[in-house]
Structures are given as structure tokens and as C-alpha cells.
Amino acid sequence: MPKNRNTFSSLSAWRRRTVAGAVQRGWQWVQNAGAVTAEHPGRLRFGRIGHGTRLAFPQGTVFGEPWIELGDHCIIGEQVTLTAGMMPGLDLGAEPILRLGDGVVLGRGSHVIADTTVTIGSNTYCGPYVYITSTNHSYDDPHQPVGKQWPRMEPVEIGPGCWLGTGAVVLPGARLGRNVVVAAGAVVRGEVPDHAVVAGAPARVVRTWDDQNGWQPPLRTPTPIPIPEGVTPEQLLAVAELTPDEV
């Protein structure tokens, strides 16, 4: 009897492994087939989608795409929302509303809501669940539900080379300079100068950089050592496989 139970258990484990493998391969096929690129835009007709740009499947809410321009080599994660205009079906005029520069990365579950112009500079990276919006609810009338009052809209501009950490929120009217770091969970409004680090809700500048003084306050961690030029991927893999005694 124990031998039979072991046999059934082995068969059951084999079936589970087989089914799991089939499901994973099937989902990988669906993800590849459902991804949006310039060559395979599917139902989405963006004003521009650059070479090498890819929207992972499943996509989040996307509308107003004729007024959305995506640069080259952008990475748009799963369930990312990209909208231009307050609702689908509006004529937003001749100019784009939402622009992403080349090499922009939007992490999984992020939202970019452009009821008026939103510009994200080249090589800006956003972690998961970042929220960027040009619109905010107003509550001027204390007798009306907030959701029924006409919202306020202001353009948003994020400079090139920025890094927005997980869960960061960028509010209407925000203008971020070049190479700005936004800490995870920060809520940004107003202007942020070039080469600044902001944190908190509302966000405030906690570190700045200039040619004369460098970073102030000084960085507490050593500068990362870059990979030397000419090192191949195979060599990196070989180093990763070394044991501590061999390093």
C-alpha cells in the first residue's frame, strides 16, 4: 500500500509540473503576442510610437492615443495607464498632449494622466506604481461633492535623466529639472531644480549638487565601480559563478 501511495503521489506531482509548465509557456506566448510595438500596435493608434518601444501585456487603461507620442526605446510595464484628455473620444486639437522622450521607463502599475500637457524627458526612469497627473480635484464649493466639482489642470514637465521611486506622485503644475531623484512615496508639486533629491509629502529638497561643492549634504555611500570597458557578458556570468573562496 505505501508503494501505491508513493506512485500516485509521483504521478500527481508530474501532472502538476506538466500543467504548470504548459500554463507558464502559454502565458509567455500571450504576453509576447499582446505586447504593443510600432510594428504590432494592435488596436492602439498612437500619435507616435518610436523604434524599439514596447508596451508590456496586459496594458492598463489607454485612451486619447492619437495625442500621445512615445519616443524610441521606451519600456512601458504591465498595467500602465496612459491617457490624453478627460475621457475617450475627445478632439484635443493638432498638438500632442502627452510626450515621452527616448528611453523612458514606466514601471508596472504606473499612471500618466494628461488632461493637459505632460512631458517626460528622455532617459527618465519610473519605478512601479508612480502616479503623474496634470489634473487634481477642486473643493472650492463646500456644498458640492468634491468629485462633481470642475477639476484644476496645470501642465507637468519632468526633465531628462530623472529617477522616480516606487509610489511617487507628481501633481499638476510640477516642473522637475534634469537628473532629479524623487524618493519612493514622495508627493511632488512646484519646481524642483536640476540635480536635486526630493523626499516626503509634500516633497522637499533634501540634497543638491553643484560644480563647486558637489553633493550637499555629502553622499554617505561610496561611488559604484562601473564595469570596465571590454568585459563581455560571458565573463560577467563566469564571475557570478565564482565561490567566495575563489574571488
Side-chain angles (χ1 to χ4, degrees):
M1 231 12 225
K3 184 181 290 185
N4 289 339
R5 280 202 298 271
N6 290 338
T7 300
F8 290 142
S9 178
S10 298
L11 285 173
S12 179
W14 176 82
R15 289 193 187 98
R16 285 198 298 272
R17 287 195 299 271
T18 302
V19 171
V23 169
Q24 291 165 2
R25 287 190 297 272
W27 179 242
Q28 187 175 38
W29 182 90
V30 169
Q31 286 181 306
N32 288 331
V36 171
T37 63
E39 296 77 20
H40 303 285
R43 63 177 179 82
L44 300 176
R45 295 293 182 266
F46 289 100
R48 179 178 184 268
I49 178 168
H51 173 73
T53 288
R54 181 183 178 93
L55 284 76
F57 179 87
Q59 291 90 38
T61 300
V62 179
F63 63 75
E65 61 269 23
W67 292 273
I68 299 175
E69 293 189 352
L70 309 177
D72 297 339
H73 303 291
C74 295
I75 300 174
I76 314 298
E78 296 179 14
Q79 298 290 358
V80 168
T81 290
L82 298 172
T83 65
M86 295 189 70
M87 62 188 70
L90 299 178
D91 184 350
L92 303 177
E95 296 297 320
I97 301 296
L98 171 56
R99 293 185 180 95
L100 271 60
D102 297 340
V104 170
V105 176
L106 297 178
R108 177 190 181 96
S110 293
H111 288 60
V112 184
I113 311 299
D115 293 342
T116 186
T117 56
V118 172
T119 303
I120 302 178
S122 297
N123 300 310
T124 284
Y125 287 22
C126 298
Y129 307 107
V130 167
Y131 194 93
I132 301 167
T133 180
S134 65
T135 302
N136 209 350
H137 290 289
S138 61
Y139 50 90
D140 302 60
D141 187 345
H143 306 295
Q144 288 290 329
V146 172
K148 292 185 176 182
Q149 298 187 45
W150 193 253
R152 285 185 169 84
M153 303 178 192
E154 293 184 76
V156 171
E157 183 177 348
I158 298 174
C162 294
W163 162 243
L164 281 65
T166 300
V169 176
V170 179
L171 294 175
R175 297 187 64 183
L176 281 64
R178 173 184 296 272
N179 283 32
V180 169
V181 176
V182 178
V187 179
V188 184
R189 60 185 183 184
E191 294 206 21
V192 180
D194 295 349
H195 308 294
V197 180
V198 296
R204 61 183 183 87
V205 175
V206 296
R207 180 170 276 124
T208 58
W209 180 92
D210 62 52
D211 288 327
Q212 290 186 337
N213 302 309
W215 285 107
Q216 295 297 324
L219 299 176
R220 292 174 293 184
T221 54
T223 301
I225 300 174
I227 298 171
E229 292 186 11
V231 174
T232 66
E234 290 76 17
Q235 289 172 324
L236 289 175
L237 287 173
V239 170
E241 291 172 356
L242 293 175
T243 66
D245 293 337
E246 295 174 313
V247 175

